[in-house]
Amino acid sequence: MKTLFKLKKLNSFGLSLQSQTLLGKGGPERGLTFQVHLNNKFSIGLTSFHSYPRKDDPNGYAPEPRRRFNAFTLEATPVANKVFHLSFPVSIGRIQEDFSANMYPQPLYSSYIMPEPIWHDRFEYGPKALGIQPGINLEVNLFKYIKAFGGMNYRFAVGEEKTPGMSRGAGTLGVKVGVFDKRIRGK
């Protein structure tokens, strides 16, 4: 039967953990991604980005909300075995903003054991939206099990609760550690 797409047999697979930082509008975000690599060309995974806690306001009343972006990722890497190569990731998931409510004391045990209260940040959940984040990365194979990359992406926010700060362009810097091209026996 003729089909539009031909699926190749699975010749290799891999697993990796990726740490990255997004630099751009709204402050930096750090992210962690778990990926499964198929035939050293495609990968699927889960990612989570969180904005850095604001340290410029001792009371926790920073003007920028904390942002979280949890997503499913797809990535195409056409020539992954070259030392320098391009990858094309896209992440689709939920963006959420959390606003600082205030600082509140929470004593441990009782006041006679610990007279000074311990202060904790408290954040209230804010608006949510669907996020779609395509990008392009230049990767370099440093070692067999370590890759470094840099690139650019843009996060689009879709939905009734979206805010202007949810959509953002960003530069990306990161490192991938894992097994990327484990050959299946008999292939």
Side-chain angles (χ1 to χ4, degrees):
M1 170 177 26
K2 291 185 178 182
T3 60
L4 183 60
F5 298 104
K6 294 182 181 180
L7 297 176
K8 292 183 177 182
K9 291 185 179 181
L10 185 62
N11 297 323
S12 69
F13 69 95
L15 298 172
S16 71
L17 192 61
Q18 170 178 313
S19 176
Q20 61 186 316
T21 300
L22 299 180
L23 304 167
K25 177 182 160 188
E29 290 183 9
R30 59 183 165 228
L32 194 60
T33 303
F34 174 76
Q35 289 182 318
V36 176
H37 303 270
L38 306 172
N39 288 340
N40 204 21
K41 292 184 186 272
F42 300 101
S43 57
I44 57 174
L46 298 172
T47 191
S48 180
F49 289 100
H50 297 271
S51 61
Y52 284 108
R54 297 294 301 263
K55 302 292 187 194
D56 55 349
D57 183 358
N59 295 318
Y61 295 108
E64 284 287 324
R66 288 186 183 178
R67 286 186 188 84
R68 292 182 285 153
F69 179 50
N70 299 312
F72 175 72
T73 63
L74 298 169
E75 186 173 324
T77 311
V79 288
N81 290 330
K82 301 273 187 192
V83 174
F84 291 94
H85 55 272
L86 293 176
S87 66
F88 304 92
V90 64
S91 301
I92 301 170
R94 184 178 89 163
I95 306 169
Q96 182 166 339
E97 290 185 343
D98 299 335
F99 296 94
S100 178
N102 59 14
M103 302 285 284
Y104 68 98
Q106 180 177 349
L108 293 178
Y109 307 113
S110 67
S111 60
Y112 68 88
I113 294 175
M114 185 173 282
E116 294 293 320
I118 306 257
W119 294 86
H120 296 277
D121 285 325
R122 184 177 72 180
F123 285 86
E124 294 189 5
Y125 299 119
K128 299 176 233 10
L130 173 67
I132 302 169
Q133 180 176 301
I136 183 169
N137 293 328
L138 175 63
E139 294 186 3
V140 59
N141 296 337
L142 296 175
F143 301 100
K144 185 173 182 179
Y145 303 110
I146 301 174
K147 296 181 180 189
F149 63 93
M152 300 192 69
N153 61 56
Y154 192 86
R155 184 179 302 158
F156 298 93
V158 179
E160 290 181 15
E161 294 184 22
K162 73 178 180 181
T163 64
M166 289 181 179
S167 295
R168 59 176 288 193
T172 305
L173 296 172
V175 175
K176 293 181 184 182
V177 177
V179 176
F180 303 100
D181 193 20
K182 175 73 175 162
R183 294 283 171 193
I184 297 174
R185 292 184 182 190
K187 301 284 180 186

